[in-house]
Amino acid sequence: MSDLSQKDIAKRALGLVDLTNLNDDCTEADVSALTSRTVTDHGSVAAVCIWPKFVAQAVRELSGTGVKVATVVNFPAGGTETTAVVAETKKAIEDGADEIDLVMPYRGFMEGRKGFAEEQIIRVKEVIPAPAKLKVILETGEIKDPLLIHLASEIAIGAGADFIKTSTGKVPVNATLEAAEIMLTAIEEARRDHQKDVGFKPAGGIRTVDDAAAYLALADKIMGHNWVSASTFRFGASGLLDALIGEIEGSGATAGEGY
């Protein structure tokens, strides 16, 4: 899979983590606990991903660290009316969010309302000023059909996504290597055919160094070995960081429960 050792893989993956708490019972204290873990002895994670109401707090606590603040909109069901999603996005940007993770209205998309899904992504993108980023969550475990996952990827990319993301972490099937391969292929096609650079974020259920290694190997295979960086690839995870640090330090720590 890779010539790198497990420790090397862990070092590579650490800076790609979006350290996440999207638990329904998340508190201000939980967010502080999360932000306190972002800068480690082995480097910083890429971002924290938290509920919109905690964005301003996270921005304050991470000031000067270089760690981005990501939040979610239209989350997790992907069914909110577009005007409300745009308003939610504007508020998050005003509060200082660097990245918006938007759940594509995937149920409407699956019912054939592709234009509705596309328009919502376009309208959300319009209110996200550079250098802030838009990540579009496809919810591939609910879409299931490989052709529809590919089409959803194409629509999101065409509508302005800076990243496409597998999952919310809130459904029975979240990130899978099968969905990742389809999405990365769509990203490579966009790069080849339209000179458009789009990132990839697997999220939900990624908890071990072996999990991380498998996704990194797939990205290297499809996109090339020099493609993966924090600007193009993220892991959405809560428990992965402990496993990575445990591997780097040789303590054998395992990942915690969670997203």
Side-chain angles (χ1 to χ4, degrees), residues 186-208:
I187 289 169
E188 166 57 17
E189 290 166 354
R191 181 174 69 172
R192 182 191 68 210
D193 297 340
H194 306 291
Q195 288 72 57
K196 188 175 179 67
D197 294 318
V198 178
F200 173 66
K201 179 176 173 179
I206 300 167
R207 296 188 176 91
T208 68

Side-chain angles (χ1 to χ4, degrees), residues 70-140:
T71 194
V72 290
V73 299
N74 205 18
F75 188 95
T80 309
E81 193 270 327
T82 297
T83 302
V85 180
V86 170
E88 190 178 25
T89 303
K90 285 181 176 178
K91 177 64 164 63
I93 292 292
E94 288 169 4
D95 285 347
D98 300 296
E99 300 172 358
I100 301 293
D101 289 25
L102 162 72
V103 182
M104 186 183 81
Y106 62 90
R107 290 190 183 89
F109 166 78
M110 291 164 63
E111 293 163 1
R113 300 175 64 203
K114 297 176 180 63
F116 172 68
E118 181 178 37
E119 182 192 5
Q120 183 169 114
I121 297 167
I122 290 169
R123 288 188 56 193
V124 169
K125 175 67 173 179
E126 286 174 349
V127 299
I128 300 176
K133 302 292 187 185
L134 171 62
K135 307 194 202 90
V136 177
I137 304 169
L138 307 185
E139 202 68 290
T140 54

Side-chain angles (χ1 to χ4, degrees), residues 10 12 15 23-24 62-63 119 129 160 197 200 213 231 243-246 254:
R12 184 185 186 197
N23 297 332
D24 293 336
L62 291 172
S63 177
E119 182 192 5
D197 294 318
F200 173 66
S231 65
L244 299 177
I245 291 173
T254 56

Side-chain angles (χ1 to χ4, degrees), residues 209-227:
V209 177
D210 285 342
D211 290 340
Y215 284 98
L216 290 171
L218 185 62
D220 288 344
K221 174 185 172 185
I222 295 172
M223 302 302 299
H225 284 268
N226 296 322
W227 181 75

Side-chain angles (χ1 to χ4, degrees), residues 29-50:
D30 293 330
V31 171
S32 293
L34 197 73
T35 60
S36 71
R37 298 174 59 213
T38 58
V39 180
T40 79
D41 292 341
H42 312 287
S44 301
V45 301
V48 295
C49 187
I50 37 85

